[in-house]
Amino acid sequence: MKKIDTFTNKKVLVLGLAKSGESAARLLVQLGAKVTINDGKAIEDSQLLTELENLEIRVIAGHHPLDLFEESFDYLIKNPGIPYENEMVVRALELNIPVLTEVELAYLISQAPIIGITGTNGKTTVTTMIAEILNRDGQSAKLAGNIGFPASEVASQANSEDTLVMELSSFQLMGIETFRPKIALIVNLFSAHLDYHGSQEAYEEAKWQIQKNMTADEYLVLNFNQEKSQILAQQTQAQVVPFATNEKVDGAYSLNGKIYFRDEEIMPVSDLSLPGEHNLENALAAIAVSKLSGVSNAAIITVLSNFAGVKHRLQYLGQLGGRKIYNDSKATNILATQKALSGFDHSSLWLLAGGLDRGNGFDELTEDVQELKGMIIFGQTAPKLKALAEKLNIPVFETDNVASGLTLAYEKSDDKDTILLSPACASWDQYKTFEERGDLFIASFQSIKSAMND
């Protein structure tokens, strides 16, 4: 990592522990800072507390004491999820203390160039695709950021031969000052996190921060399927490289069943491993970034033809007796399930759905589930989904959970059918998280497959 003296002998308050806060605090100590961590929740991990204290990091937890600011901090490093309305952040800004996020810290010390990916939907999938393509081509790509690997930790271990492929949330991007990726990508922009940002305009403004410091020497990849992205393309200093479906653009695009980058044919759309229009967009975004990074077509084709998806996000598990099995447990709302359903032939598709009843109906799914071969339902919303299926004359069967649901779907389905878990509901009626729900589905898949091989 770069040896910088920005934080040497400076007093830094890290607000919020979690993974990114801990990573930032440890890095700041290496950079010579005097670090205090403040978390509003009590910290029960005694081993972690001991480790931090051994690093001479002071930890104050269980409340936010405003009188801490009497100590004249030089910087505040904020956990991305903490809103700017938080009393500690408000006080820091009143005192003109710079408020940064861990992403900015990572940028300041990174020797490795950064590819920054943001957007509303699909950014985890695209980030993973890009890293796998670069690594397949022999480059050294390291996942970082909102994808689960603290950016400052990864940056501190990377060198100039590496590339950080960094997923960035709107929360993280609000706290950048000098952050500047060599390539930035905005996958798409839809309505999200309005409870945090207050308005769609504020949310999109936060996302747009990704190109704040970029110049004509860097590339900004934008989704030209969205008119708002075409408008934004006129408002940046970076070189804009678009991607689009069914339209030729000066970047990545698909036409007549084939994918191109600037007139160069890359691969047939039908060779993409993940179905659906949204996954075609994801692939085009990844191809644009990969080609700008000098990657070979062979690496792109190999990865995108075999990409199994991110765990629990339309993840292809494999086959059971000729049936293709997909785990989309991350689909915790109707919109996510609609997107998943769009990529399959309904005449051979079995949908597993159900979960927490939030009081909503499922009429929005009517057009999306038309002509399904069958539905397997479970959880609190099973009666509502059953009513929808019966109204549309779709064969429907109720079961206890996703594990028994896969067994039932296997028994009812035929060779060459597809079985898709895409619940359209949160998991909390039966599971702690959507990950737990998806893991149970995966375990059921493995159990059935093992029994078939015995």
Side-chain angles (χ1 to χ4, degrees), residues 126-410:
V126 176
T127 300
T128 307
M129 281 179 173
I130 292 168
E132 289 193 12
I133 291 170
L134 266 60
N135 284 325
R136 180 73 186 187
D137 198 54
Q139 301 186 34
S140 176
K142 297 182 179 298
L143 290 170
N146 197 53
I147 201 166
F149 305 98
S152 57
E153 179 180 335
V154 179
S156 68
Q157 299 168 358
N159 59 45
S160 58
E161 300 301 312
D162 299 316
T163 298
L164 303 189
V165 185
M166 191 179 294
E167 179 183 326
L168 298 163
S169 70
S170 57
F171 310 147
Q172 290 170 316
L173 289 168
M174 288 179 74
I176 65 170
E177 292 293 335
T178 61
F179 178 86
R180 193 175 93 191
K182 72 166 187 176
I183 302 174
L185 163 64
I186 301 179
V187 181
N188 49 50
L189 290 171
F190 297 107
S191 180
H193 301 303
L194 301 189
D195 54 340
Y196 184 102
H197 293 285
S199 69
Q200 180 67 14
E201 291 74 20
Y203 168 69
E204 292 181 5
E205 183 179 340
K207 291 290 193 184
W208 192 235
Q209 285 276 97
I210 195 170
Q211 59 76 57
K212 173 181 177 180
N213 300 303
M214 295 178 75
T215 70
D217 293 328
E218 291 94 35
Y219 297 101
L220 174 62
V221 179
L222 294 175
N223 184 347
F224 269 33
N225 281 349
Q226 293 193 301
E227 185 178 353
K228 67 179 66 178
S229 293
Q230 297 183 36
I231 295 171
L232 288 171
Q234 309 302 317
Q235 303 171 25
T236 182
Q237 298 300 311
Q239 295 183 54
V240 172
V241 178
F243 65 93
T245 57
N246 301 314
E247 176 188 4
K248 184 176 180 179
V249 295
D250 186 26
Y253 59 95
S254 60
L255 272 180
N256 302 319
K258 295 182 179 180
I259 292 173
Y260 300 85
F261 182 80
R262 290 178 171 167
D263 294 330
E264 179 187 10
E265 183 178 330
I266 307 297
M267 64 189 296
V269 173
S270 59
D271 283 356
L272 295 176
S273 61
L274 296 184
E277 185 78 3
H278 60 298
N279 277 314
L280 173 56
E281 286 191 3
N282 291 342
L284 290 171
I287 288 170
V289 172
S290 299
K291 293 294 288 184
L292 292 171
S293 301
V295 170
S296 68
N297 290 349
I300 293 171
I301 293 167
T302 299
V303 171
L304 295 186
S305 298
N306 296 281
F307 189 73
V310 179
K311 193 175 184 182
H312 309 307
R313 293 167 170 84
L314 206 59
Q315 175 191 12
Y316 177 58
L317 299 182
Q319 294 193 20
L320 293 175
R323 300 152 179 83
K324 293 182 178 180
I325 315 297
Y326 289 85
N327 164 32
D328 193 34
S329 184
K330 178 66 167 62
T332 57
N333 56 55
I334 290 173
L335 177 60
T337 296
Q338 288 172 320
K339 286 184 174 294
L341 288 168
S342 70
F344 295 95
D345 176 0
H346 285 196
S347 66
S348 59
L349 180 64
W350 288 79
L351 173 67
L352 278 67
L356 182 71
D357 191 345
R358 284 174 159 158
N360 61 286
F362 291 92
D363 288 345
E364 291 178 67
L365 270 177
T366 298
E367 292 186 10
D368 305 281
V369 299
Q370 297 268 18
E371 301 180 358
L372 283 179
K373 190 165 185 179
M375 288 177 61
I376 308 294
I377 55 174
F378 47 81
Q380 290 179 354
T381 57
K384 293 181 177 179
L385 289 164
K386 183 178 181 180
L388 174 66
E390 290 178 341
K391 183 176 72 173
L392 298 172
N393 296 315
I394 299 170
V396 59
F397 305 90
E398 189 168 353
T399 189
D400 292 333
N401 54 51
V402 294
S404 60
L406 179 55
T407 300
L408 182 58
Y410 177 77

Side-chain angles (χ1 to χ4, degrees), residues 17 22 26 43-55 59:
L17 190 55
E22 179 187 347
R26 291 178 182 272
I43 300 171
E44 299 177 356
D45 188 338
S46 58
Q47 180 178 344
L48 174 60
L49 287 173
T50 299
E51 289 179 9
L52 295 175
E53 289 170 0
N54 288 340
L55 292 171
V59 179

